[in-house]
Amino acid sequence: MTSMSRARVARRIAAGAAYGGGGAGLVGAAVVGLVLAELRLARRHVGNGSGGRVPVADGVYGHAYDIPGEPPLRLTMLGDSTAAGQGVHRAGQTPGALLASGLAAVAERPVELRNVASPGARSDDLDRQVALVLSSPSPVPDICVIMIGANDVTHRMPPTRSVRHLAAAVRRLRTAGAEVVVGTCPDLGTIEPVQQPLRWLARRASRQLAAAQTIGVVEQGGRTVSLGDLLGPEFEANPRELFGPDNYHPSAEGYATAAMAVLPTVCAALGLWPAEEERPDVSRREGFLPVARAAAEAASEAGTEVTAAMPTGPRGPWALLKRRRRRRVPEAEPATPSL
């Protein structure tokens, strides 16, 4: 599928999500059913990794930067098993802990992490997760990171419904005052045991959803980072850590790779990234595009950021597409549990 045709499909899905439609599909239901069956077969083939336990990583990171009287930055993770960190053995290997440590190092300020993500979650669970965040007696997070979408594809959730729930979650968090970064649907076509032609169909479904998610998120004032096939090499190298009980999780190296891709956007959303890197770099094919086109291009290239840039024009909302240089995420230190 070309970038332009993916942009058209993404626009249609996002419009259906915004206006209550439900008929726009990723690929035919029967085809997605075949993909799901193949994924289940693949799960039996590679095993269940380390089981369903998720390390608890909540707490405060970056105590070396303590300043008396200055509260820590507040980071909250929402989403599915990828956000929760299922499949690794230590709290410091989870994406939340890695992002908290990296953010503390860049901001030179402690970061308090809270994780409300749930393994196996689909986008309709974000309503519950956001309610947990906003009903907490703690202050509203400075930034929320959402990773969601893989289970929507494997469980055949209509993409318009998926995007509608995600956009509503972003809107509620932004209205409350939090910055929001969304890691869009990973490319399920990178899963090694899935064979052609289902590998191609899984990739197509994943990328269509990722592009539609991007439109929905950007229109609500959030930023997206495409995870795409970012984790493909990790899956291939670590097949026995591929699947958990919820059908999908990366290895420890995969989480570190994802955290390195998301951290620059988290820092930029909080105004912590160098000003010179906020300007589009033409040599890296960065620039301002209609949001649907930016979404389609981002879905095709992992690690690409999309954020709102200009008011609506003749071709709809515009966005800034950035291919930020990845910086190594510091290894997460043990957290001090939150009180």
Side-chain angles (χ1 to χ4, degrees):
M1 177 179 285
T2 66
S3 177
M4 292 303 291
S5 59
R6 185 176 295 115
R8 285 194 295 271
V9 173
R11 254 196 318 265
R12 203 158 56 238
I13 294 171
Y19 297 108
L26 294 169
V27 290
V31 169
V32 177
L34 285 173
V35 173
L36 177 57
E38 185 85 357
L39 289 171
R40 286 174 174 162
L41 188 64
R43 180 178 65 180
R44 288 198 295 272
H45 175 71
V46 301
N48 279 336
S50 60
R53 177 182 171 273
V54 178
V56 177
D58 290 19
V60 179
Y61 294 78
H63 281 291
Y65 306 108
D66 271 332
I67 299 176
E70 184 174 351
L73 289 169
R74 294 174 297 276
L75 164 66
T76 296
M77 302 290 295
L78 304 91
D80 57 20
S81 59
T82 309
Q86 184 171 1
V88 295
H89 302 287
R90 300 197 304 272
Q93 296 173 322
T94 62
L98 292 166
L99 284 172
S101 293
L103 179 57
V106 174
E108 297 187 345
R109 184 173 166 187
V111 174
E112 182 176 0
L113 171 67
R114 183 186 181 199
N115 199 323
V116 299
S118 178
R122 287 163 266 177
S123 292
D124 54 2
D125 191 53
L126 290 175
D127 302 348
R128 179 190 66 83
Q129 294 182 28
V130 171
L132 278 176
V133 173
L134 298 184
S135 64
S136 170
S138 302
V140 173
D142 294 290
I143 189 153
C144 295
V145 175
I146 303 173
M147 296 180 176
I148 200 82
N151 297 314
D152 296 28
V153 174
T154 60
H155 289 78
R156 291 179 282 178
M157 177 181 285
T160 49
R161 183 180 169 205
S162 175
V163 173
R164 188 179 304 128
H165 282 291
L166 176 58
V170 174
R171 180 170 60 250
R172 289 172 66 191
L173 292 169
R174 292 289 293 130
T175 299
E179 297 291 341
V180 181
V181 173
V182 175
T184 54
C185 182
D187 185 350
L188 298 179
T190 61
I191 295 173
E192 185 65 21
V194 177
Q195 301 301 311
Q196 295 290 12
L198 297 184
R199 180 190 294 268
W200 178 84
L201 294 169
R203 170 168 287 122
R204 181 184 177 195
S206 304
R207 290 185 176 183
Q208 284 181 4
L209 179 57
Q213 286 177 317
T214 296
I215 296 173
V217 169
V218 169
E219 288 181 345
Q220 299 302 326
R223 301 179 185 227
T224 62
V225 179
S226 60
L227 297 183
D229 60 358
L230 191 69
L231 307 180
E234 303 302 338
F235 287 161
E236 189 172 354
N238 300 284
R240 293 199 175 278
E241 289 194 4
L242 173 56
F243 283 105
D246 55 6
N247 301 326
Y248 166 92
H249 64 259
S251 64
E253 293 81 3
Y255 282 130
T257 302
M260 279 192 287
V262 173
L263 178 62
T265 299
V266 167
C267 294
L270 293 171
L272 298 171
W273 215 235
E276 62 271 15
E277 292 199 18
E278 293 305 294
R279 293 187 291 272
D281 185 340
V282 177
S283 69
R284 287 190 284 169
R285 296 176 293 114
E286 297 180 345
F288 299 97
L289 297 168
V291 67
R293 185 177 160 198
E297 290 202 15
S300 301
E301 185 174 343
T304 305
E305 175 192 317
V306 179
T307 186
M310 302 179 190
T312 299
R315 288 191 285 174
W318 283 66
L320 173 60
L321 184 143
K322 293 280 294 177
R323 294 177 171 88
R324 296 187 185 276
R325 295 184 181 89
R326 293 179 204 149
R327 300 187 179 185
R328 182 169 179 79
V329 177
E331 186 173 340
E333 63 177 51
T336 299
S338 302
L339 298 179

